Amino acid sequence: MSKIVIDADDAAFSLKKVLVAHLQSKGIEVEDLDYNGIKPDATYPEVGYNLALKVQAEHLDRAILICGTGLGMAMIANKVEGVYAGVCHDVYSAERLRASNNAQVLCMGARVVGEELAKTIVDAWLKAEYQGGRSAPKVEIMRDLEKESFKK
Ligand code: RB5
């Protein structure tokens, strides 16, 4: 398992710490980008953008972004070309995010899920791998449309 990068805004600071400890307890290397440590007043778009740029630049495979709802983090991460993010508050969606959609960034809301559910969602997401197959042409179409959109 390659390194996982993680970050959160102020609404999800505590959950981020819980998830970092959870991943480390599984022997997974985690890098907490802690953008609020660099820019204390950074809001969720800035925190999410900073992480998404790193995913793009380093071709990272997996990252986690958490805020109050997960929504704002997913919205900003998806604005970075080549970065795909989705909000998952259930195990099935977390599996599909990876297996069907081949997204790199799992987003969750600390005001939506409890710590134990968040850990279970992360575990399901970690177990899932992109399946290709019938999902592949759809993912390719998404990439093609994204290129069109970024050209404008
Ligand atoms: C708080 O700033 C809240 O709006 C944020 O954490 C997140 O839920 C946005 O989507």
Side-chain angles (χ1 to χ4, degrees):
M1 170 81 49
S2 53
K3 174 180 78 175
I4 293 180
V5 292
I6 189 168
D7 213 347
D9 72 356
D10 56 334
F13 182 79
S14 306
L15 182 58
K16 179 175 76 170
K17 296 286 164 209
V18 168
L19 293 180
V20 167
H22 179 64
L23 291 165
Q24 286 172 339
S25 76
K26 291 169 158 289
I28 296 167
E29 188 190 347
V30 194
E31 184 179 352
D32 177 0
L33 300 187
D34 191 23
Y35 195 60
N36 276 125
I38 300 164
K39 187 171 186 278
D41 60 349
T43 55
Y44 72 81
E46 298 163 281
V47 173
Y49 190 64
N50 177 61
L51 179 139
L53 287 181
K54 188 173 176 76
V55 168
Q56 183 191 53
E58 298 183 18
H59 304 287
L60 299 178
D61 205 30
R62 289 186 188 263
I64 299 173
L65 277 172
I66 39 180
C67 60
T69 59
L71 298 171
M73 288 299 197
M75 291 165 74
I76 190 65
N78 280 311
K79 302 256 178 260
V80 176
E81 191 173 9
V83 177
Y84 303 98
V87 182
C88 299
H89 291 136
D90 67 276
V91 164
Y92 181 71
S93 301
E95 283 171 4
R96 299 331 298 175
L97 181 71
R98 188 67 186 181
S100 300
N101 304 110
N102 200 21
Q104 308 101 323
V105 188
L106 170 68
C107 301
M108 291 184 289
R111 294 174 182 160
V112 183
V113 286
E115 292 176 358
E116 293 309 313
L117 178 54
K119 286 192 253 180
T120 306
I121 288 168
V122 166
D123 290 347
W125 172 73
L126 286 173
K127 268 194 227 142
E129 288 298 346
Y130 180 51
Q131 64 190 12
R134 289 192 311 139
S135 295
K138 299 168 202 167
V139 168
E140 284 309 311
I141 289 168
M142 186 163 57
R143 288 183 194 279
D144 290 346
L145 292 174
E146 180 190 37
K147 280 193 197 111
E148 281 299 308
S149 168
F150 273 87
K151 254 194 262 172
K152 287 175 190 160

